[in-house]
Amino acid sequence: MALLPLERIALEQVRAGRRTPGGDLGDEGWIQFGLHALLSVAGRVRLLTQPASVVSVKADGSPTTALESDIESSVRHALGEFAPEASFVGEESGGQLRPGGWTVVLDPIDGTYAYLGHTETFASVLTVFLDGEPRFGFVASPLTGEVGYAAAGGRSRLIRLNLFGEEDQGVDLPLAAAGRSPVLVNVHPARDVGGALAELMRAWRSDGVRMVRAPGGSPSWALLGAARGHFTYVNGWQAAPAAPWDLAAGVLLVQGAGGEVVDFSGHPIDPLGHVGPFVAGVRAEHRERILKLLGSRGDGGGDLSG
């Protein structure tokens, strides 16, 4: 469970207060930049979790904090030093995902209600796009000190930071052992998933699945949970097309762990603009079991309410 050299370098740079040197736009350079940026973001968010920073309400009714805009400004500045030609998109400050070249997309606090409620299910999320396609994804938990990351077509990794004097650790995902394992389900709570949740609870009572939970918070954090290999994640994503900061990083992590994120017809989702429910998990037989239990395979999966 040792750290890779590039992971160790990124941690040393953050702890020493140094920036990632610019000029290396290959995989290792971007991974070091992404890890450095997100570790720095998560550290700032962790410091201000108690008490939460000043809260305001956006036009869509969701909460935001002054901290998020300040963090986005800092990462935009760091990106300008690392890759001046790259563009930046912030969940709070906006920007455009360019069809050509590099774009870094940041959501400093994904799952703001969970953050304001002082739970561990919010996350900081950074995605690097190349020519409009997600190339690197990073998801960090400020409270647990864990960071997952993956490059498109590569293996997903999980870093566990020292919290109690132990060594920092790094491991390939998934963590689940091969062979027979129980079906564990994480359902994203929402007003329109009551029917799905009830069906899964019935399956739990009849031993069709072994556990059902619905902690909520950040979808990206839940997708990293799916990449660990134990839980299969169900989300009734309905309200609006997925934005660049919503699902792309988490989908890369699931794929890098050997899994898939599929709609209720069993087709891989497009993380940019996806609308409708999806199921994410490493084990294909578990995804199929859940799709069958929900009774929506082949119909497009439009309604989870009944």
Side-chain angles (χ1 to χ4, degrees):
M1 298 184 70
L3 294 174
L4 300 178
L6 64 86
E7 297 166 351
R8 190 172 299 280
I9 290 171
L11 286 171
E12 290 173 352
Q13 288 172 335
V14 171
R15 288 165 175 165
R18 298 193 300 268
R19 299 264 194 205
T20 301
D24 179 7
L25 300 186
D27 283 9
E28 287 200 5
W30 275 113
I31 289 172
Q32 287 187 19
F33 172 82
L35 287 174
H36 186 293
L38 206 59
L39 286 164
S40 300
V41 168
R44 292 185 63 185
V45 173
R46 181 181 176 89
L47 283 174
L48 289 179
T49 300
Q50 297 275 2
S53 57
V54 177
V55 179
S56 58
V57 179
K58 295 187 287 188
D60 64 1
S62 62
T64 185
T65 67
L67 173 65
E68 293 170 86
S69 296
D70 186 50
I71 286 175
E72 288 181 7
S73 295
S74 298
V75 175
R76 183 185 290 107
H77 178 73
L79 177 63
E81 294 182 346
F82 174 74
E85 69 279 18
S87 61
F88 178 85
V89 176
E91 200 272 342
E92 301 299 333
S93 56
Q96 295 295 320
L97 180 60
R98 298 192 315 197
W102 296 99
T103 303
V104 170
V105 177
L106 176 67
D107 187 352
I109 302 176
D110 183 31
T112 309
Y113 281 117
Y115 166 73
L116 296 174
H118 303 144
T119 69
E120 76 284 359
T121 58
F122 68 93
S124 300
V125 185
L126 185 146
T127 313
V128 179
F129 290 81
L130 177 60
D131 298 335
E133 297 293 329
R135 178 68 183 137
F136 305 97
F138 306 83
V139 178
S141 168
L143 289 190
T144 70
E146 294 176 301
V147 182
Y149 74 93
R155 171 64 71 183
S156 293
R157 293 276 295 173
L158 179 69
I159 297 172
R160 289 174 168 161
L161 302 181
N162 167 7
L163 294 179
F164 300 104
E166 75 282 12
E167 291 289 328
D168 298 317
Q169 298 177 344
V171 62
D172 287 345
L173 295 178
L175 300 174
R180 184 175 177 82
S181 63
V183 180
L184 311 177
V185 187
N186 178 11
V187 183
H188 197 86
R191 294 182 180 90
D192 57 358
V193 299
L197 186 56
E199 185 61 41
L200 290 166
M201 295 298 286
R202 282 193 289 270
W204 189 3
R205 288 193 294 271
S206 65
D207 207 30
V209 301
R210 190 62 57 84
M211 180 187 292
V212 180
R213 65 176 189 173
S218 162
S220 295
W221 183 242
L223 287 166
L224 174 56
R228 295 170 188 266
H230 298 287
F231 278 86
T232 302
Y233 178 49
V234 179
N235 190 310
W237 196 275
Q238 297 278 354
W245 52 79
D246 283 327
L247 302 177
V251 170
L252 282 179
L253 283 161
V254 174
Q255 292 172 340
E260 288 285 353
V261 184
V262 300
D263 62 22
F264 272 23
S265 294
H267 301 131
I269 71 166
D270 180 356
L272 295 178
H274 175 73
V275 175
F278 62 82
V279 176
V282 167
R283 301 181 71 95
E285 65 272 25
H286 290 188
R287 298 194 306 269
E288 293 292 330
R289 172 82 64 84
I290 292 168
L291 289 171
K292 184 176 180 179
L293 283 171
L294 297 179
S296 299
R297 186 171 178 83
D299 69 356
D303 184 11
L304 291 181
S305 60

